[in-house]
């Protein structure tokens, strides 16, 4: 089992896909790392040699991943909130940050719809 950046890479996957289990590494970054370390992307994780795992570890250490990346992202959001930036206020209120509409949609960010008293009343019976 390959352990890189504190994450157990799934053994039954291709290396290219397995690296994406590390927070901060997507498909394109994974491909760049494999090209840099000269490892075939179609190799299964279980078939990696110790030397290849060490090369992957060293390449991933050059990139900001996992805890460091999460910490930086949360500090950036906190900074926006502290200085009172518009984006920080949107984060604080739990509303969409990047200019999306909120009259309709935005339910994923705002949470489940809250029913008002008017919404709970029964509709009048048809005549």
């Amino acid at each position: 089992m390959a352990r890189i950046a504190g994450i157990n890479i799934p053994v039954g996957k291709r290396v290219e896909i397995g690296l994406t289990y590390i927070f901060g590494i997507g498909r394109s970054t994974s491909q760049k790392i494999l090209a840099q370390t000269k490892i075939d992307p179609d190799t299964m994780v279980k078939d990696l040699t110790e030397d290849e795992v060490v090369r992957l570890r060293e390449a991933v250490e050059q990139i900001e991943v996992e805890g460091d990346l999460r910490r930086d992202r949360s500090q950036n959001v906190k900074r926006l909130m502290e200085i009172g930036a518009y984006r920080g206020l949107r984060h604080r209120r739990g509303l969409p940050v990047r200019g999306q509409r909120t009259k309709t949609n935005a339910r994923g960010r705002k949470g489940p719809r809250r029913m008002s008293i008017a919404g709970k009343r029964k509709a009048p019976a048809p005549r």
Side-chain angles (χ1 to χ4, degrees):
M1 178 180 308
R3 188 168 173 84
I4 299 171
I7 301 296
N8 292 326
I9 306 298
V11 187
K13 304 252 184 202
R14 292 170 44 236
V15 181
E16 181 180 11
I17 303 300
L19 283 175
T20 64
Y21 280 67
I22 300 170
F23 182 78
I25 297 181
R27 286 290 292 271
S28 62
T29 311
S30 172
Q31 290 167 354
K32 287 175 189 171
I33 290 171
L34 292 171
Q36 175 187 335
T37 55
K38 296 184 176 85
I39 297 173
D40 182 32
D42 294 327
T43 309
M44 300 296 279
V45 173
K46 61 185 174 193
D47 298 333
L48 288 174
T49 64
E50 272 302 313
D51 179 49
E52 290 174 331
V53 173
V54 169
R55 283 190 287 166
L56 282 174
R57 252 188 228 123
E58 290 170 355
V60 170
E61 285 175 4
Q62 304 300 318
I63 303 169
E64 190 173 30
V65 291
E66 281 301 322
D68 296 333
L69 181 60
R70 290 180 204 269
R71 192 176 328 100
D72 280 358
R73 287 178 60 189
S74 66
Q75 285 175 349
N76 289 340
V77 172
K78 284 179 189 170
R79 180 183 55 82
L80 288 170
M81 286 191 232
E82 287 172 7
I83 64 175
Y86 179 75
R87 279 173 50 203
L89 297 175
R90 302 297 282 183
H91 275 290
R92 192 177 299 148
R93 292 180 185 158
L95 293 169
V97 177
R98 297 186 177 178
Q100 296 91 333
R101 67 183 290 134
T102 56
K103 183 175 181 180
T104 59
N105 300 330
R107 291 274 49 115
R109 187 76 175 137
K110 290 167 76 172
R113 186 174 283 115
R114 294 189 201 132
M115 281 293 195
S116 63
I117 295 170
K120 291 181 182 176
R121 281 197 208 120
K122 209 175 206 181
R127 295 184 189 215

